[in-house]
Amino acid sequence: MFIKPPVTNLLIRVSQSGFYRGFSKDVTITAKILVGALILWAIAFPENAASVLGQLNTLILAGFNYWYIYAMAFFVILCCAMALWPKVGKLRLGRREDVPEYSNFSWISMMFGAGIGIGMLTFATAEPMYHFAKNPSTIMGVTEGGTIGNIRDAYIWSFLHWGFAAWGCYSVVGLALAFHAYRRGLPLTIRSSLAPLFGEKLSGKIGHSIDVIAVVATVLGVSQTLGYGVEQFISGLSTIGFGDWLYSVDEEGVKSTSTVGIIFALLVIMGGATLSALSGVGKGIKWLSNTNMILSFFVLTFFLIFGATFFGLSNFFVGIWDYATSLPGNIFTVWTADGTEVGDALSDWQGGWTIFYYAWWIAFAPFVGVFLAKISKGRSIREYIFGAMIVPSLICFIWFALVGGTAIDLELSNVANGLINNAALSDKLFVMLDVMLGDAAAYFMSVIIVILLLTYLITSADSAVLIINTINAAGDDGPKARLHIIFWGIALAMVVGGLIVAGGLSAIKTAMVIGALPFSFVMVLMGISLIVAISGDLRRKKYGLQTIYADEEDTV
């Protein structure tokens, strides 16, 4: 029986000399122009940029809510199906003799640090508290906000946003790339994952467009993460006594981060990130990721011992059960505005939380996906999904249960007396430490949190810079492109700073949601392409044909 062989040769034209040696000019220059135009627009015309971005954001959230919800459900179902299907799960991402390059600890540390590490410090305290006050159950009148009866629902939605949906979309991108890079010998770049659908057409404009979309989405997705991180980093610096210059107060008495504070934080973060990126994945990023995980375990252990231990652990185990049993329904639920008070409120809530998060994860996915693929060679598909989707989700859950649970318990018991509740998003963790501990102990833990924030921010930023360069270089991480690394480090800082100037974190949020939409279509195609590729390999294996093409000597 004749089975068409897969695409194993994808020619991507790269420059052979000059400043862009080793890089695809079609991708690199186009991406630089688009990102540069966004920076100039945000800085030169901040009011116009904020207005236009806001209008586009409203249209997308209202018009593509079904698309985002069903796309994320598709990613979760696809990952679970591949892990549970025995013949698929045991397929190796590489040749038979390939073994993982990194230990399980370093592997998971790098995945978590690059994927969602910063979010744990910002949202593990804040999000359970927000949903404790208001969530779909309170909107529909099933539970009452701010009461014990609303705790379980608060964790259902927190876990939905930070669990399988987030890590499932990352996993699909990483798996599609790793499969085609290590089993087909194709370049480790976004376009390669669509080879079963578009074939050699990806060598031209179609492929260039896909990689440009991935680069722009990465810049905006990482900027969203850095934006939240910068705000909390400045809050931490203020907490440990760096001075009032980090904040400014307008004529109406509203306090906000100062321009000087933002510039200082970005210089520290992106300076460290650029130096780390220049050292590569195996050195700076690996060392920082291991440091992140060790410090994270220290912070978790602190909350396990000194926080609301029983309350937090109860939230963890009960929350996992509630999340698992509600997932089949919640992952497909879409609320649309219907003119009623409840219907409109549910639609607004889902747009502001679930759809926003899903867009964030999708914008972040090209960066995390390429990074996952780079560090996952030699692992089986089942092992990869377990390590890339299940384990990080559980780590997120324990963070939310212990840290967020402690905050809720302090408010329920009136110990905090509204201090945590009323604090700004970036301040909640530091305020909680101050409520829990004496001055000296709170100061010590705040210093640890600031260090952890800085290492997470640097890890995310330096990984993103390297991944952007890898995509621009047609999947080759070999070119010693120091100037390009420096350029993208500066560009990321300028995007974050420019958009914050244009409209604060909301401007970054709206730009990210807009940038995520085109890549969401690419991601769905990646999932379909992966199904086609794996089905083809199973058929080839059935008839004794070659399935691994990374080396011509490799066979079934």
Side-chain angles (χ1 to χ4, degrees):
M1 179 180 178
F2 175 76
I3 301 176
K4 184 180 179 180
V7 176
T8 58
N9 188 22
L10 195 59
L11 298 177
I12 305 174
R13 185 179 61 186
V14 297
S15 180
Q16 299 301 313
S17 61
F19 181 70
Y20 287 98
R21 182 181 180 182
F23 289 85
S24 168
K25 287 186 177 180
D26 300 282
V27 176
T28 309
I29 295 177
T30 304
K32 286 182 176 180
I33 291 173
L34 291 174
V35 172
L38 175 63
I39 293 171
L40 290 175
W41 184 34
I43 294 176
F45 307 100
E47 293 183 1
N48 177 260
S51 174
V52 173
L53 289 174
Q55 292 173 18
L56 288 173
N57 180 65
T58 301
L59 290 174
I60 289 173
L61 291 180
F64 289 89
N65 52 351
Y66 281 95
W67 170 254
Y68 277 119
I69 295 292
Y70 292 155
M72 296 299 274
F74 168 65
F75 302 143
V76 173
I77 293 170
L78 179 58
C79 286
C80 292
M82 288 188 293
L84 295 174
W85 191 350
K87 291 183 179 180
V88 175
K90 67 181 181 181
L91 291 177
R92 185 171 296 277
L93 300 175
R95 301 183 298 267
R96 289 192 303 275
E97 67 271 20
D98 285 338
V99 295
E101 181 180 358
Y102 302 101
S103 68
N104 289 336
F105 181 83
S106 292
W107 181 51
I108 292 173
S109 297
M110 285 191 284
M111 284 192 297
F112 190 76
I116 299 185
I118 300 170
M120 293 300 93
L121 297 174
T122 305
F123 287 94
T125 308
E127 184 159 353
M129 293 196 69
Y130 282 135
H131 298 328
F132 176 58
K134 182 180 180 181
N135 61 61
S137 292
T138 63
I139 294 172
M140 293 184 287
V142 177
T143 60
E144 183 180 350
T147 64
I148 294 177
N150 196 39
I151 293 173
R152 294 178 68 167
D153 285 276
Y155 277 98
I156 286 174
W157 296 105
S158 297
F159 286 4
L160 177 73
H161 296 152
W162 294 80
F164 292 172
W167 292 96
C169 80
Y170 297 161
S171 298
V172 166
V173 175
L175 183 57
L177 292 169
F179 188 93
H180 289 90
Y182 305 138
R183 292 180 67 88
R184 299 285 188 263
L186 295 176
L188 186 61
T189 188
I190 300 297
R191 72 176 80 183
S192 296
S193 62
L194 301 182
L197 300 182
F198 296 100
E200 295 180 0
K201 293 179 181 178
L202 293 170
S203 295
K205 293 182 179 179
I206 294 177
H208 300 331
S209 299
I210 289 168
D211 282 348
V212 168
I213 288 172
V215 170
V216 174
T218 297
V219 170
L220 294 176
V222 173
S223 295
Q224 177 71 49
T225 301
L226 293 178
Y228 280 121
V230 164
E231 291 278 341
Q232 192 171 25
F233 182 60
I234 291 174
S235 175
L237 291 178
S238 176
T239 300
I240 62 177
F242 267 64
D244 296 334
W245 57 273
L246 295 166
Y247 289 95
S248 59
V249 181
D250 62 18
E251 296 177 354
E252 298 178 357
V254 178
K255 180 181 176 183
S256 61
T257 51
S258 67
T259 302
V260 175
I262 293 170
I263 293 173
F264 173 77
L266 287 173
L267 284 174
V268 172
I269 294 163
M270 296 312 303
T274 303
L275 291 175
S276 179
L278 290 170
S279 71
V281 175
K283 296 179 181 178
I285 294 176
K286 178 182 176 181
W287 182 84
L288 281 171
S289 297
N290 288 341
T291 302
N292 290 342
M293 192 60 75
I294 292 170
L295 287 177
S296 295
F297 278 131
F298 174 80
V299 174
L300 272 180
T301 302
F302 165 81
F303 278 99
L304 185 63
I305 297 173
F306 299 103
T309 306
F310 180 76
F311 184 72
L313 291 176
S314 297
N315 292 333
F316 176 68
F317 291 110
V318 174
I320 288 177
W321 169 259
D322 289 342
Y323 167 68
T325 55
S326 64
L327 184 62
N330 286 340
I331 203 168
F332 289 107
T333 298
V334 183
W335 287 299
T336 56
D338 57 7
T340 66
E341 182 179 352
V342 172
D344 290 353
L346 287 171
S347 177
D348 289 342
W349 184 91
Q350 189 173 53
W353 285 99
T354 308
I355 305 299
F356 158 65
Y357 272 129
Y358 286 1
W360 188 3
W361 306 151
I362 287 170
F364 218 47
F367 147 54
V368 180
V370 175
F371 189 74
L372 291 182
K374 287 173 69 72
I375 64 175
S376 299
K377 185 177 182 180
R379 298 185 183 272
S380 69
I381 288 179
R382 182 176 297 108
E383 181 184 11
Y384 169 88
I385 291 174
F386 181 77
M389 186 173 86
I390 307 299
V391 173
S393 294
L394 292 175
I395 295 175
C396 288
F397 295 165
I398 192 66
W399 266 90
F400 276 76
L402 289 176
V403 181
T406 298
I408 291 174
D409 184 64
L410 289 171
E411 289 291 358
L412 275 176
S413 59
N414 293 321
V415 174
N417 199 27
L419 290 175
I420 304 173
N421 237 345
N422 298 326
L425 175 68
S426 57
D427 299 336
K428 287 185 183 294
L429 179 56
F430 297 109
V431 171
M432 178 171 63
L433 291 173
D434 191 53
V435 170
M436 292 173 61
L437 308 169
D439 291 342
Y443 184 86
F444 171 76
M445 284 303 301
S446 295
V447 170
I448 296 296
I449 296 296
V450 169
I451 295 172
L452 184 54
L453 259 173
L454 181 60
T455 55
Y456 267 136
L457 284 164
I458 290 176
T459 302
S460 292
D462 62 10
S463 301
V465 168
L466 285 179
I467 295 313
I468 289 170
N469 260 6
T470 298
I471 297 173
N472 288 334
D476 182 10
D477 59 358
K480 303 300 181 182
R482 292 179 176 272
L483 291 178
H484 292 276
I485 288 174
I486 293 171
F487 170 86
W488 286 110
I490 294 173
L492 275 174
M494 293 292 287
V495 169
V496 175
L499 288 174
I500 288 178
V501 170
L505 287 176
S506 61
I508 300 179
K509 174 180 175 180
T510 54
M512 178 274 301
V513 170
I514 295 165
L517 183 61
F519 192 70
S520 68
F521 294 103
V522 175
M523 281 184 61
V524 170
L525 290 176
M526 291 174 79
I528 296 171
S529 179
L530 187 59
I531 294 172
V532 173
I534 290 175
S535 299
D537 270 10
L538 293 180
R539 292 176 63 204
R540 293 182 188 95
K541 189 171 184 179
K542 178 180 178 181
Y543 291 101
L545 301 176
Q546 183 176 349
T547 60
I548 301 175
Y549 295 80
D551 186 326
E552 288 298 327
E553 296 179 359
D554 287 314
T555 56
V556 177

